[in-house]
Amino acid sequence: MDRAGALMAGAALELIHCYSLVHDDLPAMDNDDLRRGRPTVHKAFDDATAILAGDALLTLAFDVMARTEVHADPAVRTALVLELARASGLGGMAGGQMLDLAAEGRFEGKRALNENEIITLQAMKTGALIRFACNAGAILGKADNATRTSIARYGSAIGQAFQIADDLLDVEGDAKTLGKAAGKDAAAGKATLVATLGVDRARARLNELVAEANAALAPFGSKSDMLRATARFIAERKA
Amino acid sequence: MDRAGALMAGAALELIHCYSLVHDDLPAMDNDDLRRGRPTVHKAFDDATAILAGDALLTLAFDVMARTEVHADPAVRTALVLELARASGLGGMAGGQMLDLAAEGRFEGKRALNENEIITLQAMKTGALIRFACNAGAILGKADNATRTSIARYGSAIGQAFQIADDLLDVEGDAKTLGKAAGKDAAAGKATLVATLGVDRARARLNELVAEANAALAPFGSKSDMLRATARFIAERKA
């Protein structure tokens, strides 16, 4: 696989990620003033600028992904565009964010989600982009079905692990290290597995998911050490 | 060219158009309560829903455009994705909307735009999507360069014509026929060619652009009668 092409595909994904942060930080959404230790876009500029900047970043993601630099084969590029759109749209990140706002009681009164509903919501809201990051490698490398299945399994496990680690950080971290406000989930009464299971059971689940991610990598042997390190980093990060 | 594929590509464009209306109507942007005679999304629901609905529509546009139903050849689909992203992103619609807000004096004080600046802004804000609608046909039909140039010339002319007609309607129309508020441009002190040239010269320019659009269609003879009717409709529409 061409390394420069993979980096371009990664850049397209990062554009989606950035747009989602800019829009989610808006007053009408999560109303955050701080992001990566700096003022959020609507604080530094204004809401209109943040809305348009997000729209432009989202659009640029598909511009970048469709370029020949990503892969010489246009069939690979359309597959990536389609997969990225599915991961970030109504059935993925944007839909998950909408369910999250609904669960917070924005629309028709607050409703506590059960464990399975939280897992579904998080699989859409944050899991879909992480799974895409993994699956995109398989698409770029024109991997066979068995390889795709292994990579999808790994992506699904680290996606869930990421969200639990993030929710644990919100409970246990501080704003200075995080570069964003802490304790916001509990204040908003947000549905998280940490709130539902408690810190100890959530941490046990996190460790299970890292083991599951490593198991999925077994067919690749030491070639996948970087992915093993990534799973460990997700579980152990402090910010 | 496959008619069903062309309709799918048109649907993708219409998703972009819808997202732009939903976001532009937001209080932080143009703050419109009425659209097509009905409450705007943020009025019927709330701002968060309108932001996410717009994001999801924008993302779905690229999902639809990348599908095999649009065209069997993935090279055609990636060309469409790329062209749509360019038309709707920073160098097109979203960038034009940002320039428009800047011209209204949102950020650093109001600044009157001259005729050429207004033409540039409008070529980005509304012209780019109309040009895309035309160019997409040429891409789908794998047209030769001469044909592409003729179609691009037609698209550029009707794009400019559309904006002048729209600005004239804002001056001369009424909310009931328009299905949206009238007189908003003048109230906002918005930069339009109608404000700069006056109604009579603007109408003369509109007629020139329709003639230019028809001239661009000359190589196609009567096959392009529908496009001639479209140019006439743009100039003469009342709503």
Side-chain angles (χ1 to χ4, degrees):
Chain A
M1 194 199 318
D2 174 38
R3 183 179 166 79
L7 282 173
M8 281 284 276
L13 174 59
E14 188 54 22
L15 289 164
I16 292 283
H17 181 220
C18 285
Y19 118 72
S20 76
L21 299 179
V22 172
H23 278 188
D24 283 0
D25 287 339
L26 281 164
M29 305 270 279
D30 292 346
N31 194 23
D32 274 305
D33 294 351
L34 201 59
R35 171 69 69 183
R36 296 173 181 165
R38 300 180 61 181
T40 46
V41 177
H42 68 273
K43 292 300 284 186
F45 302 95
D46 62 7
D47 285 17
T49 302
I51 293 167
L52 284 168
D55 293 345
L57 286 164
L58 167 50
T59 307
L60 186 59
F62 292 103
D63 177 335
V64 169
M65 196 64 99
R67 296 182 194 177
T68 49
E69 291 92 326
V70 169
H71 199 287
D73 183 349
V76 167
R77 303 204 302 278
T78 47
L80 288 169
V81 165
L82 201 56
E83 184 104 355
L84 181 61
R86 299 277 160 96
S88 55
L90 207 56
M93 185 184 67
Q97 174 70 1
M98 188 73 193
L99 290 179
D100 206 12
L101 294 178
E104 271 183 47
R106 288 288 188 103
F107 309 117
E108 297 178 347
K110 193 170 161 46
R111 189 173 80 75
L113 301 185
N114 65 35
E115 186 177 337
N116 281 335
E117 288 172 325
I118 295 171
I119 289 173
T120 300
L121 184 161
Q122 294 184 341
M124 294 169 70
K125 192 183 166 186
T126 53
L129 284 198
I130 294 174
R131 289 197 304 276
F132 172 80
C134 301
N135 294 338
I139 295 171
L140 281 161
K142 298 188 176 183
D144 60 31
N145 281 340
T147 302
R148 283 189 194 225
T149 302
S150 295
I151 289 176
R153 189 178 153 207
Y154 168 82
S156 180
I158 64 165
Q160 289 181 65
F162 172 85
Q163 191 59 55
I164 293 176
D166 204 56
D167 294 338
L168 282 168
L169 278 173
D170 187 74
V171 171
E172 301 179 329
D174 64 280
K176 193 158 171 246
T177 318
L178 288 177
K180 64 179 182 179
K184 290 214 37 142
D185 295 348
K190 207 157 223 166
T192 74
L193 283 184
V194 176
T196 305
L197 302 178
V199 167
D200 290 344
R201 281 182 59 209
R203 192 168 296 285
R205 177 87 189 112
L206 175 56
N207 291 333
E208 281 170 27
L209 286 163
V210 173
E212 159 75 7
N214 287 332
L217 297 174
F220 308 121
S222 63
K223 276 195 300 180
S224 58
D225 282 348
M226 177 72 89
L227 296 178
R228 265 176 272 274
T230 303
R232 197 164 54 242
F233 169 77
I234 283 173
E236 296 174 3
R237 76 196 168 91
K238 298 291 173 220
Chain B
M1 196 198 315
D2 174 37
R3 183 177 165 80
L7 282 173
M8 282 284 277
L13 174 59
E14 187 54 22
L15 289 165
I16 294 282
H17 181 218
C18 285
Y19 118 72
S20 77
L21 299 179
V22 172
H23 278 189
D24 283 1
D25 287 339
L26 280 164
M29 305 271 278
D30 292 346
N31 195 22
D32 274 306
D33 293 351
L34 201 59
R35 171 70 67 183
R36 296 174 181 164
R38 301 180 61 182
T40 46
V41 177
H42 68 273
K43 293 298 285 186
F45 302 95
D46 62 7
D47 285 16
T49 302
I51 293 166
L52 284 168
D55 292 345
L57 286 164
L58 167 50
T59 307
L60 186 59
F62 293 104
D63 177 335
V64 169
M65 196 64 100
R67 295 183 195 177
T68 50
E69 291 92 326
V70 169
H71 199 287
D73 183 350
V76 167
R77 303 204 302 277
T78 46
L80 288 168
V81 164
L82 200 56
E83 185 103 355
L84 181 61
R86 300 276 160 95
S88 54
L90 207 56
M93 187 183 67
Q97 174 70 2
M98 189 72 194
L99 290 179
D100 206 12
L101 294 178
E104 271 182 49
R106 289 288 189 101
F107 309 118
E108 295 178 348
K110 194 173 160 43
R111 189 173 80 76
L113 301 186
N114 65 33
E115 187 177 335
N116 281 336
E117 288 172 325
I118 295 171
I119 289 173
T120 300
L121 185 162
Q122 294 184 341
M124 294 169 70
K125 191 184 167 185
T126 53
L129 284 199
I130 294 174
R131 289 197 304 277
F132 172 81
C134 301
N135 295 338
I139 295 170
L140 281 162
K142 298 189 176 182
D144 60 32
N145 281 342
T147 302
R148 284 189 193 225
T149 303
S150 295
I151 289 177
R153 189 178 152 206
Y154 168 82
S156 180
I158 64 165
Q160 289 181 66
F162 172 86
Q163 191 59 56
I164 293 176
D166 204 56
D167 294 339
L168 283 167
L169 277 173
D170 187 73
V171 172
E172 300 179 328
D174 64 278
K176 194 158 170 245
T177 318
L178 289 176
K180 64 178 182 178
K184 289 213 39 141
D185 295 349
K190 207 158 222 165
T192 74
L193 284 184
V194 176
T196 306
L197 302 177
V199 167
D200 289 347
R201 281 181 61 209
R203 192 169 294 286
R205 178 88 188 111
L206 174 57
N207 291 333
E208 281 169 27
L209 287 163
V210 172
E212 158 75 7
N214 286 332
L217 297 174
F220 309 121
S222 63
K223 277 194 300 178
S224 58
D225 282 347
M226 178 73 91
L227 296 178
R228 265 177 272 272
T230 302
R232 197 165 54 242
F233 169 78
I234 283 172
E236 295 173 2
R237 76 196 169 90
K238 297 294 173 218

